[in-house]
Structures are given as structure tokens and as C-alpha cells.
Amino acid sequence: RLLKLSSLPMSSSRTNTASQVAFGRKIRSKSEKKDKAKVEAKVTPAPEPSPATKFPFEQFEDEVPFRLQGDKKMYTKKALVQRKALSQDEGVLGVIDEIWKKLPKQGGVLVKEKYIQFFMRVCKMLNSDMDYEEALSTVTEDFQRDCKGEDSLDHIAFRAAMFELVDNWTMDISAEEYIEFLKLLLSKT
């Protein structure tokens, strides 16, 4: 919080007279303005991260990590059809493609080393409670599943892997939420 104006130190040569007030504000010398700025800098707390810098699941505190929770409403026939449709949504795929373009590739594919580097960052972002060994094990297992026996991922396999990630980490079924999640992920990687 900012300190109230009346609590700021005033120089001894100044008194609160009508000549020191203009348009309802106290007139201060340069040194008083510097003093006020120093006090404000010391007592002004860092701003809370805005909701736009947090993933939706981070806005709720729960004893059980989000990755270990489930939501039955995401597995109804209707929900599964909606989620499948989102896997082909142009907006969702467009942001996934932006992430793809940002990644270092060899011969047009994402090799295991680069996959693991990228997804370790993502894993730690989404699972702050997960230790390094568990994160590495999870990412390595994901690579084996995502590459389908190959030693790298092409663009199509990467799209599928990223869609699975966003599909598992969002709380609702909507292109807007999937896109927002992916854009936030892109801004943090």
C-alpha cells in the first residue's frame, strides 16, 4: 500500500499554510518528492500476477495437484465429440504451429533431445510440485508415446502431442480456452 500523504516527512521549514495547497494538492519541493518516491518504492508491494499470466487451473488452490484430478464431465459422449472437433480447430492448430516454429529442429523434425528440453520446461511450468527425476521420467515416457517408434516428431506428431497436452490441462471445452492456454504457454517458453 502507498502511505498516506499526511504520513510523509515534511521539511521543518514548511508548514501547512494556504500558500502550500493548490487545487487540493500539497505543493512539495523536489527533495520532498524524492522522499515520497523512496517511501512509495519501499512500501509498494509487487503486483499480483494478473489472471492472464496464470493458467486457469492455477487460480484454484487444492491439496491434490491438478494433474491427479479428473472431471467426469470431460468424458461424456458429447464432450468427447467436442474435444475431437477442437483437435482440428484452425485457431488451436495455429497457436500450436507458432510453438512449432519457435522450436529448434533438425532436418524439419523435433529430435528427442530438443523435445525433452522443451517439454521439461513445460512440465515444470505445469507441475511445480514435481521433482526433476519424476518430470524427466514423465517427459521421456511421453516422447516414446508421441514419436510412435520413431526417433523424432514431425509437425503432425507434434500437433497431436500439443493438442493432448492442452486438452488435458484446460478446464473447459472451448476453442477460446484452448487458444488462451496455448498462447500463455508460448509466452512462457
Side-chain angles (χ1 to χ4, degrees), residues 56 166 169-182:
V166 69
W169 284 91
T170 49
M171 299 175 68
D172 291 312
I173 306 168
S174 75
E176 293 80 16
E177 183 163 344
Y178 282 42
I179 290 167
E180 181 181 325
F181 177 94
L182 288 164

Side-chain angles (χ1 to χ4, degrees), residues 12-26:
S12 58
S13 65
R14 299 190 65 119
T15 58
N16 194 9
T17 64
S19 63
Q20 294 175 306
V21 178
F23 302 103
R25 295 183 168 189
K26 291 186 179 180

Side-chain angles (χ1 to χ4, degrees), residues 16-161:
N16 194 9
T17 64
S19 63
Q20 294 175 306
V21 178
F23 302 103
R25 295 183 168 189
K26 291 186 179 180
I27 301 170
R28 290 180 184 62
S29 68
K30 287 184 182 181
S31 65
E32 288 173 329
K33 288 178 184 177
K34 287 180 186 176
D35 289 343
K36 180 181 184 260
K38 285 179 189 176
V39 170
E40 285 178 352
K42 290 178 185 175
V43 297
T44 304
E48 285 292 316
S50 71
T53 62
K54 287 185 172 186
F55 292 103
F57 69 89
E58 291 179 304
Q59 297 173 29
F60 302 97
E61 291 187 25
D62 201 320
E63 290 180 23
V64 179
F66 186 78
R67 72 177 182 280
L68 301 177
Q69 298 177 22
D71 187 350
K72 289 181 181 180
K73 74 176 182 165
M74 299 296 263
Y75 295 92
T76 66
K77 286 182 182 180
K78 180 181 177 183
L80 292 171
V81 168
Q82 290 173 318
R83 290 166 62 196
K84 176 75 173 165
L86 285 175
S87 72
Q88 301 304 310
D89 182 88
E90 288 183 28
V92 172
L93 294 176
V95 183
I96 292 173
D97 290 348
E98 286 181 48
I99 296 169
W100 172 257
K101 289 175 189 172
K102 186 177 176 180
L103 296 174
K105 293 170 277 304
Q106 294 176 0
V109 296
L110 187 62
V111 296
K112 183 177 182 178
E113 175 189 358
K114 300 302 180 185
Y115 175 102
I116 289 176
Q117 287 174 356
F118 173 72
F119 280 100
M120 281 294 287
R121 287 194 316 267
V122 171
C123 186
K124 290 305 288 179
M125 240 185 285
L126 300 175
N127 303 284
S128 60
D129 64 314
M130 192 181 278
D131 68 31
Y132 178 83
E133 294 302 321
E134 185 181 5
L136 183 59
S137 175
T138 299
V139 169
T140 303
E141 288 172 19
D142 286 348
F143 175 79
Q144 295 304 321
R145 189 180 59 254
D146 292 341
C147 74
K148 297 179 174 51
E150 300 293 323
D151 59 355
S152 61
L153 273 75
D154 64 11
H155 185 212
I156 301 302
F158 179 78
R159 273 182 163 185

